[in-house]
């Protein structure tokens, strides 16, 4: 839990952008934003931190970071980005 809070504070919650390829044309059509946590030189998938963040009330902070980083990607790179938000994200007022 402490590592997650530190990662949020130190801006070490990162969005990795995975290309989504059209199977017919084999061209990249858009990207999917995938959240990761960076600690020192290690990168952790959400499997290792997202459920803990939800239970501790830190999940909305992570969602905001992913949204902000994804918007920056769209603005700077002029690409479409998909974000996997949960129903909780859509109804949370934080």
């Amino acid at each position: 839990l402490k590592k997650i809070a530190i990662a949020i504070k130190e801006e070490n919650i990162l969005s990795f952008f995975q290309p989504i390829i059209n199977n017919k044309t084999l061209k990249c059509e858009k990207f999917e934003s995938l959240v990761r946590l960076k600690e020192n030189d290690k990168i952790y998938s959400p499997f290792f931190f997202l459920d803990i963040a939800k239970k501790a009330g830190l999940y909305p902070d992570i969602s905001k970071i992913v949204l902000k980083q994804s918007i920056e990607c769209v603005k700077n790179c002029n690409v479409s980005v998909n974000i996997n938000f949960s129903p909780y994200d859509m109804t949370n007022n934080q």
Side-chain angles (χ1 to χ4, degrees), residues 18-55:
Q18 174 176 287
I20 298 175
I21 307 296
N22 181 312
N23 287 337
K24 291 181 181 179
T25 66
L26 301 179
K27 292 185 179 180
C28 177
E29 294 194 344
K30 54 190 163 186
F31 292 86
E32 179 180 16
S33 182
L34 305 171
V35 67
R36 299 291 185 262
L37 184 147
K38 180 181 176 190
E39 181 188 35
N40 301 319
D41 292 333
K42 293 184 180 181
I43 303 293
Y44 295 95
S45 77
F47 174 81
F48 295 101
F49 66 91
L50 214 53
D51 284 339
I52 297 165
K54 287 178 181 178
K55 291 175 185 172

Side-chain angles (χ1 to χ4, degrees), residues 48-93:
F48 295 101
F49 66 91
L50 214 53
D51 284 339
I52 297 165
K54 287 178 181 178
K55 291 175 185 172
L58 297 173
Y59 182 80
D61 295 325
I62 293 172
S63 293
K64 287 178 196 175
I65 292 167
V66 169
L67 180 60
K68 181 181 175 186
Q69 291 174 353
S70 298
I71 289 170
E72 286 300 312
C73 180
V74 169
K75 285 179 9 186
N76 295 331
C77 300
N78 195 28
V79 296
S80 295
V81 175
N82 288 6
I83 305 170
N84 294 325
F85 281 136
S86 71
Y88 177 82
D89 290 306
M90 306 312 284
T91 58
N92 183 10
N93 290 329

